Amino acid sequence: VSLSAALFIASIVAITLGASSVNFNTVFQVFGDLFVHNDAITETQRQIVLGIRLPRVLAAILAGIALSNAGLLMQGVFQNPLVSPYTLGVSNGASFGAALAIVFSSHFTFLNLGTYLLPVFAFISSVLTMILVYGIAKIAKNSSKTLILSGVAVGYLFSALVSLLKYVSDTKELPELVFWTMGGFSGINWTAIAIMAGACLISFIIMMYFSWDLNVMTAGEESAISLGVNYKKIRMIAFVLSTLLTAVAVSFTGVIGFVGLIAPHVTRMIVGSDYRYMIPVSSLVGALLLLLSDTVGRNMIAPTQLPVGIITSVIGVPFFLYLIIRKRGR
């Protein structure tokens, strides 16, 4: 309840803050205007609140939910507190797909995807990356260690390919490619929000349905099987959901690091290790963390906006190092 209230307050504050500030009264009047027309509200105010700020706030919330729950699943499946949604190279694969769309956009006009060319390429590339990584691990005995090593190797491969595309791109394409890899919510539209919301809702329902199985899996494969849990099935579901959530978020927002690492740990500090409580709390923590990071990035040196990936990394790196030091000898 406290996190929900904090998220609601942070959302209203985020809508009021920016290069063109609007006060709380104006924000509530604009929302009220959706039901009862108010002549005191100008078209500029409507556009600022409903056309620019609200989609951005909702995108930050949904991306936070997606990345935090993806991280929660990954850490649970691997029983490793230091993995994140990007450990298996999904973000590198998405970056490669986005780089292809940006650098060779003129060659893909026949697809008629318009502004959705980049997110479609990023999503397809990230899914194919996960399939490739899982296929390699399947050939090599399908162990968790093999899966992580395969993900790291494939991630480096796609990272090198992205660097190659940066090298061959011209001066018009390079800034867009670099900015995308830093993450951000500029230009988010309602279609993207609907897709992200659908992915988050479906994944949330499935995760809650299998929450007790996820609890049992933390005891290890042998213990889970002895208690009647189909370990391989649940692990596959977790991989698919994690890939779906990460791919959808990265496709529309770019690469935003450390949210999927930090949020699950903060969640465990609050409610312990029961997935029935961790899943909803992780959603709220991730949403709140990313919304606050984006608000800080928008207003720190306004009107210039810092990419949200920079803010989350500045927060996440010290926390990550703290976790490594804390886990020494264990």
Side-chain angles (χ1 to χ4, degrees):
V1 172
S2 299
L3 286 170
S4 299
L7 182 60
F8 176 78
I9 295 171
S11 300
I12 299 299
V13 172
I15 293 174
T16 63
L17 298 177
S20 300
S21 296
V22 290
N23 57 40
F24 289 100
N25 186 47
T26 301
V27 171
F28 287 114
Q29 285 181 341
V30 170
F31 284 125
D33 183 64
L34 296 173
F35 305 99
V36 180
H37 183 69
N38 187 346
D39 293 327
I41 302 299
T42 66
E43 189 59 34
T44 300
Q45 290 172 331
R46 289 190 184 93
Q47 182 61 24
I48 290 173
V49 174
L50 299 179
I52 300 175
R53 301 276 174 79
L54 182 59
R56 184 163 187 148
V57 166
L58 292 177
I61 290 173
L62 292 170
I65 292 172
L67 293 174
S68 61
N69 281 341
L72 186 66
L73 286 172
M74 294 294 287
Q75 291 176 10
V77 168
F78 288 112
Q79 298 178 35
N80 186 334
L82 300 181
V83 300
S84 75
Y86 300 152
T87 300
L88 300 185
V90 174
S91 63
N92 300 90
S95 297
F96 176 67
L100 283 176
I102 293 171
V103 176
F104 300 108
S105 57
S106 60
H107 295 80
F108 298 121
T109 53
F110 64 93
L111 295 175
N112 295 320
L113 293 174
T115 57
Y116 295 101
L117 179 68
L118 193 154
V120 167
F121 267 62
F123 179 82
I124 293 174
S125 182
S126 59
V127 172
L128 291 177
T129 300
M130 189 63 234
I131 293 173
L132 175 62
V133 170
Y134 190 79
I136 294 171
K138 190 79 173 176
I139 295 172
K141 296 184 179 180
N142 199 27
S143 68
S144 296
K145 290 182 179 179
T146 305
L147 197 61
I148 292 177
L149 291 173
S150 302
V152 171
V154 171
Y156 273 114
L157 171 63
F158 282 117
S159 179
L161 292 176
V162 170
S163 297
L164 175 63
L165 289 174
K166 287 180 181 178
Y167 183 78
V168 301
S169 63
D170 60 31
T171 54
K172 291 189 299 182
E173 298 157 350
L174 185 59
E176 183 182 356
L177 178 53
V178 171
F179 187 78
W180 189 89
T181 57
M182 295 180 181
F185 303 107
S186 299
I188 290 287
N189 57 38
W190 290 103
T191 302
I193 290 172
I195 294 173
M196 292 171 67
C200 289
L201 179 61
I202 293 171
S203 300
F204 182 87
I205 293 172
I206 296 174
M207 288 173 68
M208 289 300 295
Y209 182 79
F210 289 106
S211 58
W212 187 250
D213 297 293
L214 291 170
N215 282 338
V216 175
M217 287 179 66
T218 59
E221 182 175 358
E222 292 183 2
S223 298
I225 294 174
S226 67
L227 292 171
V229 173
N230 189 332
Y231 187 87
K232 291 184 178 179
K233 174 186 173 183
I234 301 301
R235 189 175 69 167
M236 175 58 71
I237 291 173
F239 285 148
V240 170
L241 289 181
S242 179
T243 302
L244 172 66
L245 289 169
T246 306
V248 168
V250 171
S251 298
F252 289 110
T253 66
V255 180
I256 302 174
F258 286 104
V259 175
L261 173 69
I262 298 173
H265 285 286
V266 175
T267 299
R268 291 186 184 91
M269 295 176 186
I270 298 173
V271 294
S273 300
D274 190 333
Y275 277 87
R276 294 174 297 174
Y277 308 117
M278 287 175 67
I279 294 167
V281 172
S282 175
S283 301
L284 292 169
V285 170
L288 188 58
L289 174 63
L290 196 48
L291 177 59
L292 292 176
S293 297
D294 182 56
T295 304
V296 170
R298 284 193 296 113
N299 294 279
M300 182 178 290
I301 52 175
T304 301
Q305 298 182 11
L306 290 175
V308 67
I310 294 176
I311 305 299
T312 56
S313 295
V314 169
I315 297 172
V317 169
F319 190 83
F320 184 75
L321 295 176
Y322 162 74
L323 289 176
I324 293 176
I325 294 172
R326 184 184 177 191
K327 294 295 180 183
R328 67 186 186 279
R330 286 186 285 169

